[in-house]
Amino acid sequence: MLDKLSALPALFNQLTISSQVPGAQFTLYHNGQLIELATGVEHIHLGTPVTTRSRFALGSVSKVATATVVMQMLEDDDISLDDPVAHYLPRAINSRTHTDSITLRQLLSHTSGLIVDHDEVDMSDSSLRKSAVSMLSKDLVSRPGSVFSYSNSGYALIGYVIEAVSGQSWWDTIQSYLFDPHDLDFTFINDPRSNPLAKSIVAGHAVDASSSSTVPVDFYCERGMAPAGGLAASATTLVDLARSFMVSPEHRSNNPVADLEVLRHMWSPVPAVSPFGLADSWGAGWGLHERRGRLWAGHDGTLDGGTCHVRLDPDGGTALALTTNSTSGLTMWPQLVDVLDSLELYVGNYRTPDLSISRGSTSTGLDISGHYTNGDLTVTIEPTPDGNYQLKMPNGVQGALLLSDGLQFNVRINQFGGDLDFAGRFSTGLSNGSTIDAIEYNGRYLRREMKVTPTSPLLLTA
């Protein structure tokens, strides 16, 4: 294996160039060997070279750090994962929200039923309480514990629970619980503290594959969503954190962030959770992928021109992370997984189902067109002149929707430097099979919009 991995630096550089990624890092820990690769520039106009210590925006991989702080509080007996969140929040919030029916485990595993995102408060405000009150006042998209639906809002609420339990801000808590005592070189995209310790971050880049143009963009994460996506770090720092989750003392970090039995909650599959289109299962913090009889933990993230992917085999001796400063990093990651396969390092990663594709309506004869919503996320499915369908999102992202003979589908999008396939499925659970009432798309559960007619109660739109 070690001989095969000697080809990795050249292959990694080739992938970076072919994916039009300005700068990237890849760090691999495998059976005691650490490989750190860095290539390209931090900013295309400044030309500063990427090093193994450059800090990249992590996007949703930040959730792993937030979840880890919850595990540290669990180890200290400050919280319980299965108590209602109401136990930890002020009574004034609990009296008008859903906190008595939602647990921390559900928040950590995206099964709380909370909306994916919201923007009805000033998210530049550093008050996690305000964002918590706003999101908790919204209707749930599903009954807590019944459906997987990826939720940034849920992790923002976890951040507020952390504040309520620790008595200090999420920023101060994650710094004092996790970063400083374990020598982890994380920093914040947007730090509201009066005298933050500033650390440099690479620039993001938007790549247009059709014209080969690359434009720098600023990384930005609203302070109210910082626990869900507001951190930056190097690939090596992520691998250092991941090694705390390894079972073998030979491979586990010398300064683990918490007791192993507590951390197991993060990669223990939550029962009845099906994150279709995103992972095989989910724990209290990590997404889970089965590959060749092994269970891999991992998380992916994107943020304003950057991407991040981290994976680890808790029962083995492998952890790895890829960071890029480009939207085209989304296409680089699956290509890197294929390269690792060729080197006989079989990394757990979600594979889009190979569906039997049909044209037109689903085999059930149910109409699928219409608007589907989850908080601020709206997806429109509409027929095309050739008898098929396309999926559209408000930000302009769209792609051909390829139906299977059942209720599953793939969406092919070619707006990020190459073709990307996302998996989804239609649901008839609320109508007992008579009407399409929701979709699960890329791990998000979206309810079909409803309308009221003068002569009838609420009906699902056709």
Side-chain angles (χ1 to χ4, degrees), residues 362-434:
T362 59
S363 60
T364 60
L366 300 176
D367 179 36
I368 65 172
S369 60
H371 302 290
Y372 298 80
T373 61
N374 177 325
D376 297 330
L377 175 62
T378 299
V379 164
T380 300
I381 296 175
E382 58 186 32
T384 57
D386 61 0
N388 289 303
Y389 290 90
Q390 65 178 346
L391 181 147
K392 291 184 174 181
M393 301 181 72
N395 61 2
V397 172
Q398 63 183 47
L401 188 148
L402 306 177
L403 291 167
S404 74
D405 291 332
L407 294 177
Q408 297 184 9
F409 63 85
N410 285 348
V411 176
R412 182 153 297 165
I413 297 173
N414 57 7
Q415 293 171 258
F416 299 104
D419 289 336
L420 287 173
D421 284 341
F422 295 97
R425 62 186 174 188
F426 295 94
S427 171
T428 62
L430 298 179
S431 62
N432 296 319
S434 63

Side-chain angles (χ1 to χ4, degrees), residues 29 46 69 115 168 170 176 207 222 316 375 415 433 446 457:
Y29 175 87
L46 300 180
V69 172
I115 57 177
Q168 58 184 0
W170 171 81
S176 61
V207 172
E222 300 92 343
Q415 293 171 258
L446 292 85

Side-chain angles (χ1 to χ4, degrees), residues 5-320:
L5 291 179
S6 63
L8 192 54
L11 293 171
F12 176 69
N13 287 337
Q14 291 172 12
L15 278 182
T16 306
I17 294 170
S18 63
S19 300
Q20 301 181 51
V21 170
Q25 299 167 324
F26 179 64
T27 297
L28 169 67
Y29 175 87
H30 182 67
N31 292 336
Q33 181 185 19
L34 184 69
I35 299 174
E36 298 176 278
L37 304 177
T39 187
V41 295
E42 295 184 349
H43 190 296
I44 59 170
H45 293 161
L46 300 180
T48 306
V50 171
T51 72
T52 58
R53 296 298 177 263
S54 297
R55 302 174 193 86
F56 287 67
L58 305 183
S60 286
V61 175
S62 305
K63 294 180 177 69
V64 174
T66 295
T68 300
V69 172
V70 174
M71 296 303 127
Q72 292 176 316
M73 291 181 164
L74 177 63
E75 184 176 30
D76 293 342
D77 292 325
D78 291 332
I79 54 96
S80 167
L81 296 185
D82 298 311
D83 284 342
V85 174
H87 288 194
Y88 308 105
L89 299 178
R91 183 177 300 177
I93 292 179
N94 297 329
S95 64
R96 50 200 170 113
T97 64
H98 313 286
T99 55
D100 59 345
S101 60
I102 295 173
T103 67
L104 270 171
R105 193 185 302 274
Q106 290 167 348
L107 290 173
L108 290 164
S109 62
H110 301 285
T111 58
S112 67
L114 287 175
I115 57 177
V116 59
D117 285 304
H118 73 296
D119 60 4
E120 292 190 7
V121 295
D122 180 6
M123 297 305 287
S124 64
D125 193 317
S126 61
S127 172
L128 297 184
R129 180 188 64 81
K130 291 180 181 178
S131 63
V133 170
S134 176
M135 74 182 74
L136 286 168
S137 67
K138 303 300 179 184
D139 291 338
L140 299 177
V141 297
S142 61
R143 177 173 51 84
S146 65
V147 172
F148 180 94
S149 186
Y150 193 88
S151 176
N152 292 315
S153 296
Y155 268 76
L157 178 58
I158 293 171
Y160 181 48
V161 172
I162 288 173
E163 290 189 340
V165 172
S166 69
Q168 58 184 0
S169 74
W170 171 81
W171 289 264
D172 285 334
T173 304
I174 200 168
Q175 186 92 45
S176 61
Y177 275 56
L178 185 61
F179 303 163
D180 291 348
H182 301 283
D183 196 25
L184 294 169
D185 187 28
F186 286 86
T187 193
F188 303 98
I189 302 292
N190 190 354
D191 194 333
R193 295 174 295 182
S194 57
N195 293 301
L197 182 61
K199 295 182 179 180
S200 62
I201 301 171
V202 306
H205 298 84
V207 172
D208 184 341
S210 61
S211 63
S212 297
S213 68
T214 301
V215 179
V217 295
D218 291 331
F219 288 126
Y220 178 73
C221 179
E222 300 92 343
R223 291 171 178 174
M225 283 292 169
L231 297 178
S234 68
T236 296
T237 294
L238 290 174
V239 168
D240 288 344
L241 173 61
R243 289 182 59 197
S244 285
F245 297 85
M246 289 187 173
V247 173
S248 170
E250 178 185 0
H251 302 300
R252 197 164 189 242
S253 169
N254 293 327
N255 184 18
V257 296
D259 181 79
L260 185 62
E261 293 309 305
V262 172
L263 293 178
R264 281 184 186 274
H265 289 285
M266 288 182 62
W267 82 86
S268 297
V270 173
V273 170
S274 178
F276 190 83
L278 206 58
D280 295 314
S281 55
W282 214 275
W286 286 110
L288 305 174
H289 307 272
E290 298 177 15
R291 187 85 192 275
R292 294 191 167 216
R294 305 196 71 84
L295 185 68
W296 287 76
H299 215 295
D300 305 319
T302 61
L303 186 68
D304 298 331
T307 67
C308 179
H309 305 269
V310 60
R311 295 290 187 272
L312 72 136
D313 177 1
D315 292 317
T318 302
L320 56 97

Side-chain angles (χ1 to χ4, degrees), residues 315-327:
D315 292 317
T318 302
L320 56 97
L322 170 71
T323 59
T324 82
N325 60 357
S326 170
T327 52

Side-chain angles (χ1 to χ4, degrees), residues 422-449:
F422 295 97
R425 62 186 174 188
F426 295 94
S427 171
T428 62
L430 298 179
S431 62
N432 296 319
S434 63
T435 309
I436 299 293
D437 49 53
I439 60 171
E440 295 174 66
Y441 169 73
N442 201 30
R444 279 74 169 166
Y445 181 84
L446 292 85
R447 295 280 292 271
R448 199 173 190 180
E449 283 191 356

